[in-house]
Amino acid sequence: MSAECSSYLNADKVLVSGFSCPRTGGDARAVYCCGFQDVKYCCDDPHSFFPYEHSYMWWLSVGALVGLSIAAVVLFAFIITVCVLCYLFISTKPHSKLDTGLSLQMAVRLEGVQYAKQRHWMDSTNAIMKQIQSCMLHKASTKTSC
């Protein structure tokens, strides 16, 4: 199998005569005519011939670069906007502490104070227990509620 690459004008407007693929001394698998209207060569891919000039690809590259540049500017503007909004949100918070509804207290580590608190709690618990016991005794004897 072989393909014929027709003659063409290269980028310098010089006529290049047609040739047959595979070329003599070239790769035996390169049986297809590939390239562009102004640059042709032999290759092994049947879908590698593009019916326009090679310089057209350069314009596609420029278009891609312009598109990517615009996308980068939009992304940069978005990031700057988010940073400014975060700064404004943080800087406009009230400087006074908000009441959370919880009263936080530091733990007291003095043993005498801790002992006094425990002693007070035990005294209160004992007083309540005595009231319950007297009420139950009174209820059992009189059959009334406390």
Side-chain angles (χ1 to χ4, degrees), residues 29-136:
R29 294 175 296 169
V31 294
Y32 299 102
C33 184
C34 303
F36 302 90
Q37 285 180 346
D38 58 348
V39 178
K40 293 183 181 179
Y41 54 93
C42 295
C43 71
D44 60 355
D45 184 9
H47 304 291
S48 292
F49 181 75
F50 304 101
Y52 40 80
E53 293 181 5
H54 184 259
S55 62
Y56 180 73
M57 292 301 288
W58 186 80
W59 284 107
L60 285 178
S61 297
V62 169
L65 286 175
V66 168
L68 288 173
S69 298
I70 291 171
V73 167
V74 169
L75 179 65
F76 184 69
F78 176 75
I79 291 171
I80 294 297
T81 303
V82 168
C83 290
V84 167
L85 290 176
C86 286
Y87 172 75
L88 290 174
F89 177 75
I90 291 170
S91 67
T92 58
K93 279 187 172 181
H95 295 291
S96 62
K97 291 185 180 179
L98 297 175
D99 183 19
T100 60
L102 301 173
S103 59
L104 302 175
Q105 298 174 355
M106 278 183 49
V108 178
R109 294 181 189 251
L110 297 174
E111 291 186 23
V113 174
Q114 201 70 338
Y115 174 76
K117 285 183 179 180
Q118 287 176 354
R119 183 74 182 152
H120 174 72
W121 180 80
M122 289 173 61
D123 289 345
S124 325
T125 306
N126 286 339
I128 292 171
M129 289 300 287
K130 286 181 183 177
Q131 283 181 337
I132 291 172
Q133 285 174 352
S134 69
C135 182
M136 289 175 73

Side-chain angles (χ1 to χ4, degrees), residues 5-19 35-40 49 52-55:
C5 284
S6 61
S7 57
Y8 62 94
L9 288 175
N10 66 11
D12 297 330
K13 303 298 181 204
V14 175
L15 181 66
V16 177
S17 60
F19 53 91
F36 302 90
Q37 285 180 346
D38 58 348
V39 178
K40 293 183 181 179
F49 181 75
Y52 40 80
E53 293 181 5
H54 184 259
S55 62

